[in-house]
Amino acid sequence: MLVRSSRFEVSVKHIQRITRSHSQLRAHLTRDPSAEVALICSLIFYTFECLIGNVQQALWHLDQGLILLRRLQTYYPYLVNGQETYAQLVAIFSQLDVHASIFTLERTPILRLALPEQVSGEMHTVPERISGLSDLETSLTVLQNWTLWHLMEFLEYKNLPQSQVPSIVLRERLQLEAQLQKLEEIAEKMPFSEDFQSFTSSQRQRLVLLRSQALIFHAVLLENIICTLDGAQIPLEATCRFDIALTQISTLLSPSSESESGSSFENKTPSNRAFTLSTNIIAMLYFICLKTSDRRILRTALSLMQGSLLTSRDGLWDARTAVTIVKAMLPEDDIQSEEPEMNFKLEDVGSGIVDTDGGLEEAFKLLKLEQSQVK
């Protein structure tokens, strides 16, 4: 299905093979009802649909797998917690659950990863000592999931002054921010550790990716704290994190990074792949464009999407569509203006479009409809 060209080639034969796979799975599960097989095939079918750009069908397969996984965790915890295969499936599904909720902003994650003790502050989400990238990634996924749940549950308190925010909401928000800060600091120090010297090129790239995601989520959360705390430094802190994340992503996408990682497909950087499953690079750059009021940062993020990523797809995210939406909301003259600061953010300009349920595709359709009505 994936060809070595600038675009995806999807034929009738490919669609027929996917349909036949669905039929064979149903027949197999009728004879041998295996939850493990169902979950693995859910991931495979999700990937197929992402490859051909069928977002809604991809989300359906993912959600069915997540619902099944949640049911297993509730009624058969000994099964999920006792096998290595299920541990891997939980990790993958947890990351894709976050990926889907970033794409469709109205979608609350199906899994709930943060324990009540972590939310209350009785237990740390980020352990005092992180032994490697897997621990770092696990902690990050929990914090991302928790952030999305928190923002969705308490959306009504966004941008309200501290006096109007319930103390329980404020405490959770500050607890979450403290854990993101801790994770960010650990990721920042890791390149100076002894273990880092033995990291492979792909492991170093993975660290850069994890640190970038931590920075972006921290910045987005800070945006929601801005009106609940006194201090003018918070907007600056968010902007700094966008800036650092852009530097990290630029490094990851640079030709030198690609040459260091070797020529095999498995070791290529995200910029040299036509398809990745959940790096969230396109999502990070897109949200930076929406949420920054710094014109230089917006130009940099847009430039990275328009560069080597333009023909790429990262799971549900299509770079070309993201670029089209950003440029439609802010004409080229505005993007290239010499004024360093914009007195608005694109998410405010595109309110009702970029935050619509349905993700990029729906936002793209609404923009086209709006443009046609203007004409």
Side-chain angles (χ1 to χ4, degrees), residues 112-127 139 142-143 146 171-172 175-176 179:
R112 192 154 199 162
L113 303 182
L115 300 173
E117 296 84 359
Q118 292 172 327
V119 174
S120 67
E122 297 172 32
M123 178 192 298
H124 292 310
T125 307
V126 182
S139 295
V142 173
L143 289 174
W146 181 7
R171 280 199 302 271
E172 180 181 335
Q175 173 65 21
L176 178 52
Q179 292 300 300

Side-chain angles (χ1 to χ4, degrees), residues 117-304:
E117 296 84 359
Q118 292 172 327
V119 174
S120 67
E122 297 172 32
M123 178 192 298
H124 292 310
T125 307
V126 182
E128 291 301 322
R129 177 173 174 75
I130 285 184
S131 58
L133 290 177
S134 293
D135 284 353
L136 188 72
E137 188 166 51
T138 298
S139 295
L140 174 63
T141 303
V142 173
L143 289 174
Q144 288 175 319
N145 177 280
W146 181 7
T147 301
L148 291 166
W149 267 101
H150 178 83
L151 295 180
M152 288 296 293
E153 282 187 312
F154 304 121
L155 186 62
E156 61 189 293
Y157 302 115
K158 181 179 179 181
N159 294 332
L160 289 182
Q162 183 174 345
S163 59
Q164 296 180 31
V165 179
S167 59
I168 189 172
V169 177
L170 183 56
R171 280 199 302 271
E172 180 181 335
R173 196 161 292 180
L174 293 176
Q175 173 65 21
L176 178 52
E177 200 269 335
Q179 292 300 300
L180 281 166
Q181 177 71 38
K182 184 177 178 181
L183 185 77
E184 192 179 296
E185 290 171 356
I186 291 173
E188 185 179 356
K189 292 175 182 176
M190 197 170 280
F192 304 101
S193 67
E194 291 183 7
D195 293 340
F196 185 77
Q197 304 307 316
S198 61
F199 276 18
T200 64
S201 179
S202 60
Q203 286 176 317
R204 296 185 182 200
Q205 290 173 9
R206 185 179 169 199
L207 175 58
V208 170
L209 191 61
L210 295 176
R211 187 185 174 200
S212 300
Q213 292 194 50
L215 286 162
I216 297 297
F217 265 79
H218 196 169
V220 171
L221 184 67
L222 284 171
E223 176 191 52
N224 286 267
I225 295 177
I226 182 172
C227 288
T228 60
L229 289 176
D230 295 326
Q233 289 300 312
I234 288 180
L236 182 59
E237 288 181 18
T239 298
C240 286
R241 281 172 173 79
F242 287 150
D243 216 357
I244 297 170
L246 281 176
T247 302
Q248 296 280 302
I249 295 171
S250 298
T251 302
L252 194 64
L253 300 181
S254 68
S256 60
S257 177
E258 290 173 17
S259 63
E260 290 171 5
S261 61
S263 58
S264 68
F265 178 81
E266 289 78 7
N267 289 329
K268 286 183 179 179
T269 61
S271 66
N272 209 13
R273 297 186 188 183
F275 180 80
T276 50
L277 191 61
S278 59
T279 67
N280 291 326
I281 288 181
I282 297 171
M284 286 190 283
L285 294 173
Y286 177 71
F287 280 110
I288 288 174
C289 289
L290 293 188
K291 291 182 173 296
T292 186
S293 57
D294 186 307
R295 198 173 259 107
R296 177 188 60 81
I297 288 178
L298 188 152
R299 279 199 297 262
T300 303
L302 184 59
S303 175
L304 288 171

Side-chain angles (χ1 to χ4, degrees), residues 2-3 5-6 8 265 270-276 311-314:
L2 181 60
V3 295
S5 68
S6 59
F8 297 104
F265 178 81
S271 66
N272 209 13
R273 297 186 188 183
F275 180 80
T276 50
T311 57
S312 299
R313 187 174 190 93
D314 182 52

